[in-house]
Amino acid sequence: MAHRHDPNDGGEFQSPALERLVRGLSRLPGLGRKSATRIALHLVAKESPAAELVEAVNEAREQVRNCSRCGAITEPDPCRICTSERRDPSQLCVVASPVDVLPFEKAGFFRGRYFVLGGLLSPLDGVRADDLPFDRLASRIDEDGVAEIIIALDASVEGETTALYVQRLFEGRDLRLSRLATGIPVGGALAYTDEVTLQRAFQFRRGF
Amino acid sequence: MQIRSARISGFRNLQETRFDFSSRVNVVVGRNGEGKTNLLEALNYFALGRSHRGARNDELIAFDAEALHVELGVVEESGAELACEYGLGRNNGRRFRLDGEALRRRADLVGRLATVFFNPDSIRLVRGSPQRRRHFVDQGIAEIDPSYLVHLTAFQRALKQKTGLLRDVRHGAVDGRRIRDDLEAWNREIATHAAVVCRERGAYANLMTPFADAAHRELAGDEETLRVVYRPRLETAAARVFTEDDAGAPGNPLETPSRTPSEGNPPEAEKPGEIGSLEQDIFKELSYIVGSEIQRGRPLNGPQMDDFEVRLSGSPDEGGEAPGLDLRTYGSQGETRSAAIALILARSDVLHRRRQVRPVLFLDDIFSELDRERTRRLQNMAIRAHQVFVATARPDDLGDWRPADLCAWRVDGGAFTQVKDPTAPL
């Protein structure tokens, strides 16, 4: 039997306050009602970390911002990557969202800088070229003397189209434009590679 | 490919049953509504990854059951045995298993169990909408080349985005002059995939034409020539994949003979650079109409408007070189039915030619749509290469058809009884 979750009578908890908390938590990414309930009960228990959490959330909200130059998540603005002398300003990696910076930084091989678009072209989600910061990207290229743009966008229809747009936008300039390759994952078994990835890997095969 | 056995539980009105099928011909007789089509649907579900009738889980699961489960014993061409299982739950859960191992993506299912399904609806293939023919051909291509689906899906997704963009203009949400760069990017992405779609559709029409023609000659018992001709809406695609000089005036029965070779479309070029330049040509053609698209607020050209002609021309001594009659418009009831069946059988032949796979053939209530002569010919053609499942409400339609290795069942209220003589009155 399914429970009724009427906020007015407090749902299954006999507590409208708890019901409200569970609902709020279950709206967070990756949390279903079950996990939300577990967390909520933990938060209202005697030894609750709630006060510290609230403080941490507020502080993070105060301190964390998007870098005004590249759009990455940062505390100092501009971010350390944008201001670091050790990063090569001539290489600019264009990504869709701030989280896409993280795997690059974790791997640590890339010594250039980033530019976060904050989205991909997708009219069905109301995103057109006007809504993405391409003019800021252009001035960034001029200011920093960028010589190479590496487009690192999703291999989806929206990602491909956005990549095509960026390419078209800068193709007349004295710039190297490149895109991430697609292919067989390192350590991956050939036999379990899907047909399309395999086809691409074959199409863009390299000489020794 | 053969389905040797099935264990079915919780599927619509079918009582829990274990079947051992004939490797050649299986016949189910029963009145309408007793469960004939349900059995074929249960057998075909694994092949498609969905119901051929488009039914939801809830409709497929027996009213008194929480879930359904079907296990098929399949034998491949190589003689290898395959256990194909699927289960559906009321909470929209779906599980597919192959030899006990769960399949994670629906794409992994494609082509594992190949089937061809005929019912009275499928014989509208020739007379029906262009969308029906595009879908038929697209499915046929995907059977022999799964990567085609990726391009088709990407094309459809990009087209949907473009349609959304133009809709915003039409509704005044955005100024048409401000989206030209957006449109250009979408057109470029569309062209990438449209080039593959157009090229593959043209190649498939060529590939299937000789098979369709042979099947049609045998089925109709005459010497007329049947051709499947790809008619892309994009002119650049038409010029590339179809270069006959009579590209205009489709369907004009008064066209003078002698202008078109009867061999179907010319073979498509296989040069490596072909796709690249077709892509550029399509992009140019789409760019050319951007202004009108903005004005009209919707996409005006592309593979989403393609069609396939099905042409029938007379025997050589009465002008067999003629482009022939376009059956989509001018075919009689009987002609379009025979042509549709020939096309569907041709799809099986193409699959066999390219992948060495013979699909299992389902004939659901199809004989009542054909005259006796054609029924008998179809029966003989069907069993020559395929394992066949026949469902019929009128045992009379089987006539004196008694192929070897025939297994027959009667179904009443979802309960199956094996019978010796399928033509005994119900």
Side-chain angles (χ1 to χ4, degrees), chain A residues 160-204:
Chain A
E160 297 284 326
T161 305
T162 310
L164 289 170
Y165 187 91
V166 175
Q167 185 215 340
R168 184 84 177 84
L169 204 54
F170 299 114
E171 69 186 351
R173 299 195 185 203
D174 185 20
L175 259 182
R176 246 191 95 195
L177 281 163
S178 59
R179 304 183 50 187
L180 293 190
T182 39
I184 299 163
V186 174
L190 195 62
Y192 296 106
T193 306
D194 69 280
E195 299 91 359
V196 179
T197 306
L198 192 60
Q199 201 181 19
R200 287 241 188 145
F202 189 85
Q203 207 176 350
F204 299 110

Side-chain angles (χ1 to χ4, degrees), chain B residues 41-172:
Chain B
E41 184 181 34
L43 298 180
N44 200 27
Y45 190 99
F46 189 93
L48 302 178
R50 58 179 173 80
S51 152
H52 75 274
R53 297 192 262 193
R56 296 187 320 264
N57 281 12
D58 263 349
E59 305 170 67
L60 294 175
I61 299 168
F63 73 93
D64 57 351
E66 273 307 301
L68 68 81
H69 184 251
V70 175
E71 194 179 334
L72 307 175
V74 172
V75 179
E76 293 184 307
E77 266 64 19
S78 61
E81 292 181 24
L82 212 59
C84 301
E85 271 176 81
Y86 64 91
L88 306 179
R90 289 231 179 258
N91 48 2
N92 273 325
R94 289 206 300 185
R95 288 254 187 303
F96 293 98
R97 283 174 188 279
L98 205 61
D99 283 336
E101 204 176 316
L103 297 179
R104 268 166 300 162
R105 303 174 309 157
R106 199 168 123 182
D108 294 333
L109 211 64
V110 175
R112 296 318 300 258
L113 172 60
T115 62
V116 169
F117 202 101
F118 276 103
N119 61 18
D121 189 52
S122 38
I123 63 180
R124 278 192 269 283
L125 177 61
V126 173
R127 272 266 189 97
S129 67
Q131 187 194 357
R132 194 180 271 256
R133 287 180 288 280
R134 283 195 301 272
H135 184 70
F136 172 76
V137 168
D138 288 339
Q139 295 288 112
I141 302 170
E143 274 169 5
I144 58 175
D145 177 10
S147 71
Y148 176 75
L149 270 189
V150 176
H151 289 288
L152 183 68
T153 316
F155 159 71
Q156 285 163 342
R157 172 81 189 161
L159 178 68
K160 214 169 161 188
Q161 291 278 15
K162 178 179 167 180
T163 308
L165 187 59
L166 290 168
R167 195 191 305 121
D168 289 346
V169 177
R170 195 175 67 222
H171 293 168

Side-chain angles (χ1 to χ4, degrees), chain A residues 1-203:
Chain A
M1 235 353 237
H3 294 285
R4 282 168 58 235
H5 300 304
D6 183 348
N8 300 320
D9 71 2
E12 65 201 293
F13 304 116
Q14 306 177 54
S15 157
L18 189 55
E19 175 63 25
R20 206 177 135 216
L21 179 58
V22 169
R23 281 175 173 241
L25 286 169
S26 64
R27 272 197 287 269
L28 297 178
L31 284 188
R33 190 171 168 90
K34 227 175 185 174
S35 332
T37 305
R38 237 178 94 204
I39 293 171
L41 291 175
H42 186 70
L43 288 175
V44 298
K46 233 182 200 158
E47 322 264 283
S48 167
E52 289 153 58
L53 266 176
V54 168
E55 201 182 322
V57 169
N58 281 333
E59 193 185 335
R61 277 172 54 87
E62 241 165 67
Q63 301 297 326
V64 174
R65 69 203 79 221
N66 292 97
C67 170
S68 56
R69 290 182 50 73
C70 73
I73 295 166
T74 178
E75 284 196 18
D77 186 22
C79 74
R80 289 201 187 90
I81 300 172
C82 282
T83 52
S84 167
E85 295 288 319
R86 305 223 302 270
R87 308 290 295 222
D88 178 0
S90 74
Q91 279 195 326
L92 192 66
C93 180
V94 176
V95 296
S97 91
V99 293
D100 294 332
V101 172
L102 305 180
F104 280 98
E105 286 304 293
K106 198 173 158 207
F109 59 85
F110 180 61
R111 300 312 299 159
R113 291 177 179 162
Y114 299 95
F115 190 86
V116 178
L117 287 177
L120 295 170
L121 291 180
S122 178
L124 295 176
D125 300 307
V127 183
R128 295 180 296 270
D130 279 355
D131 303 305
L132 296 178
F134 291 117
D135 43 351
R136 263 181 48 225
L137 174 59
S139 47
R140 171 81 190 250
I141 289 168
D142 295 335
E143 284 161 25
D144 283 14
V146 172
E148 179 177 9
I149 293 183
I150 302 109
I151 302 173
L153 301 175
D154 291 351
S156 62
V157 165
E158 290 75 18
E160 297 284 326
T161 305
T162 310
L164 289 170
Y165 187 91
V166 175
Q167 185 215 340
R168 184 84 177 84
L169 204 54
F170 299 114
E171 69 186 351
R173 299 195 185 203
D174 185 20
L175 259 182
R176 246 191 95 195
L177 281 163
S178 59
R179 304 183 50 187
L180 293 190
T182 39
I184 299 163
V186 174
L190 195 62
Y192 296 106
T193 306
D194 69 280
E195 299 91 359
V196 179
T197 306
L198 192 60
Q199 201 181 19
R200 287 241 188 145
F202 189 85
Q203 207 176 350

Side-chain angles (χ1 to χ4, degrees), chain B residues 9 31 49 98 133 155 165 182 269 293 307 311 394 412:
Chain B
S9 66
R31 276 185 287 272
L98 205 61
R133 287 180 288 280
F155 159 71
L165 187 59
D182 285 87
E293 289 188 324
D307 200 356
R311 287 187 166 269
R394 300 200 316 208
D412 290 294

